[in-house]
Amino acid sequence: MRTFQSLAELPALVGQEVAVSDWIPVTQQQINQFAEATGDHQWIHVDEERARQGPFGATIAHGFLTLSLIPKFFDSALEVLDTKMGVNYGLNRVRFTGPVPVDSRLRGRLKLLESKRIEGNGYQMTWQVTIEREGVEKPVCIAESISRRYA
């Protein structure tokens, strides 16, 4: 966990990897709950028997489930003490570059691409989030995540 006293410390870190999250497990229960929430019941996600015979040898997490872990990566990787509120503002580029088999562990590498002041005593930041799967060299997802934080 990397801790900052204020948002004003972050602009100096543009272009740098700022933090790396803890490892987060991806379970079949999470995959099934995500399928229920989104209506995406494709067999490669939820049919364990059929998926064992499929191209990945097991069920895999939905790409959007992997993407939805970004807030958890931030929660375990960095803290800004003077922040009262943060909101997701959107995404720029997202690429799903590898599968996430059930029971994988993922973590996020957080590189600050841009930080600028905005109205309401806040900052808008663009982060490159590289999501890694434990034991695999190639990342499983790379996304530009835009967030706003307010002091």
Side-chain angles (χ1 to χ4, degrees):
M1 170 71 72
R2 188 153 178 202
T3 302
F4 299 93
Q5 293 299 313
S6 75
L7 289 166
E9 294 175 56
L10 292 170
L13 301 175
V14 168
Q16 298 178 40
E17 181 175 275
V18 176
V20 178
S21 76
D22 293 338
W23 290 104
I24 297 171
V26 177
T27 66
Q28 189 62 50
Q29 181 180 3
Q30 287 172 298
I31 293 169
N32 292 343
Q33 289 174 330
F34 192 85
E36 284 301 312
T38 62
D40 182 351
H41 297 279
Q42 190 174 149
W43 65 269
I44 61 173
H45 305 306
V46 297
D47 187 335
E48 294 177 67
E49 177 124 351
R50 186 174 177 194
R52 273 192 282 282
Q53 308 307 315
F56 305 108
T59 56
I60 61 169
H62 305 72
F64 287 124
L65 168 57
T66 301
L67 190 64
S68 74
L69 295 174
I70 288 176
K72 287 185 78 146
F73 297 139
F74 275 94
D75 283 346
S76 75
L78 68 96
E79 175 181 34
V80 182
L81 297 177
D82 79 344
T83 302
K84 294 179 184 169
M85 178 181 73
V87 295
N88 292 319
Y89 192 68
L91 298 162
N92 284 336
R93 233 179 112 90
V94 177
R95 296 292 180 265
F96 301 110
T97 52
V100 177
V102 65
D103 297 324
S104 294
R105 290 181 1 130
L106 305 177
R107 72 176 175 189
R109 293 189 166 278
L110 312 175
K111 179 179 180 179
L112 186 59
L113 300 178
E114 182 179 45
S115 179
K116 61 183 179 182
R117 289 193 62 81
I118 56 172
E119 284 185 43
N121 200 25
Y123 282 83
Q124 178 171 303
M125 292 164 282
T126 303
W127 296 88
Q128 178 180 309
V129 181
T130 302
I131 303 174
E132 300 175 323
R133 185 174 125 208
E134 189 174 41
V136 177
E137 201 169 310
K138 183 180 176 184
V140 297
C141 179
I142 302 171
E144 285 185 15
S145 175
I146 307 166
S147 61
R148 288 183 167 189
R149 289 193 178 206
Y150 299 90

